[in-house]
Amino acid sequence: MNRALLIAFFSIGCVPSAPPLPGVLAPDRSLPALDLPAGHRHLIFKWDYQEGDILARGDGSVRTAAPDSARLDFFLGGGLGAGAAILIGDSLRAPNVELARRYIPPSPMMWAALGRLAIPALSDTVVRVDGDLLRADVGRPIQWRVAIKGDTVVALEHISGGKIIESLTREANGALVYQAPGARRRLTLNILRQQPGSFDATIWSL
């Protein structure tokens, strides 16, 4: 077996299967509308990125404007570099879009991290209540699995062929963790503070 096939084999093998959805069936099969807070908001965070043997960390910020706009700025630790991207709806803009897509989670995952549920509209949604969590499988076959507590997305999983190919989890300490097991990719955002922001249209230019 050559090296490329060996890497592909182990990458596929480490992708977890999606277990049965826990909880009891909810009478309402619809999901709540979760949107960005009205107006502008500014989040400051520290980030850690891992892809295989590559490790990087630094500081960052996100400035959001309801209903569907966000500017992301990342600064590499030690002042070694910086990058920025703009997410509007499902559209990502950056000086180097391919590189930005490597480090920034896909738009449904990034929006879930920022408090907005923006998965594709699909039929056959199954909703279950599991304690204080609302859980749902979306699509047939299942393509998305979401867990919501109150008005907060605490987990979002992208599923293909019964496997969890990527996920976004809000941990108990507030950290946001994105993982793509097949690519051995993990991004952790530790939110330091968030507050109402005040910024003008110039932030949407790169």
Side-chain angles (χ1 to χ4, degrees):
M1 183 181 292
N2 65 35
R3 184 173 183 272
L5 289 176
L6 189 64
I7 293 173
F9 175 81
F10 282 108
S11 295
I12 293 171
C14 68
V15 177
S17 297
L21 189 68
V24 297
L25 282 172
D28 186 355
R29 295 175 58 187
S30 61
L31 290 172
L34 301 179
D35 300 310
L36 292 178
H40 295 169
R41 185 173 58 150
H42 193 188
L43 291 82
I44 307 296
F45 57 84
K46 288 189 174 295
W47 58 269
D48 288 88
Y49 179 83
Q50 180 177 358
E51 184 178 349
D53 296 328
I54 298 172
L55 297 172
R57 59 175 49 93
D59 303 303
S61 75
V62 180
R63 286 171 280 182
T64 65
D68 64 351
S69 301
R71 175 180 172 128
L72 301 92
D73 290 278
F74 290 85
F75 307 95
L76 194 61
L80 300 177
I86 292 172
L87 179 61
I88 299 179
D90 293 329
S91 175
L92 182 69
R93 291 192 286 116
N96 186 329
V97 173
E98 289 187 7
L99 186 63
R101 285 180 175 154
R102 177 177 175 180
Y103 294 103
I104 297 173
S107 58
M109 296 289 173
M110 195 68 233
W111 284 130
L114 297 175
R116 177 174 179 249
L117 184 60
I119 59 177
L122 298 169
S123 58
D124 297 311
T125 299
V126 175
V127 180
R128 290 180 173 268
V129 177
D130 180 21
D132 59 356
L133 293 178
L134 187 70
R135 299 185 183 272
D137 281 343
V138 181
R140 182 179 296 178
I142 302 166
Q143 296 186 41
W144 297 92
R145 174 170 286 180
V146 60
I148 299 169
K149 183 176 182 179
D151 59 357
T152 302
V153 178
V154 296
L156 179 63
E157 296 171 342
H158 190 189
I159 297 172
S160 178
K163 299 283 189 179
I164 302 171
I165 58 174
E166 58 182 349
S167 65
L168 185 284
T169 305
R170 189 180 304 271
E171 298 189 339
N173 63 0
L176 297 159
V177 180
Y178 168 77
Q179 296 185 83
R184 300 173 63 204
R185 186 178 300 155
R186 178 187 176 100
L187 173 66
T188 301
L189 305 180
N190 290 292
I191 306 299
L192 301 179
R193 64 183 183 275
Q194 50 183 310
Q195 59 201 29
S198 178
F199 37 85
D200 56 39
T202 60
I203 71 163
W204 309 117
S205 298
L206 294 173

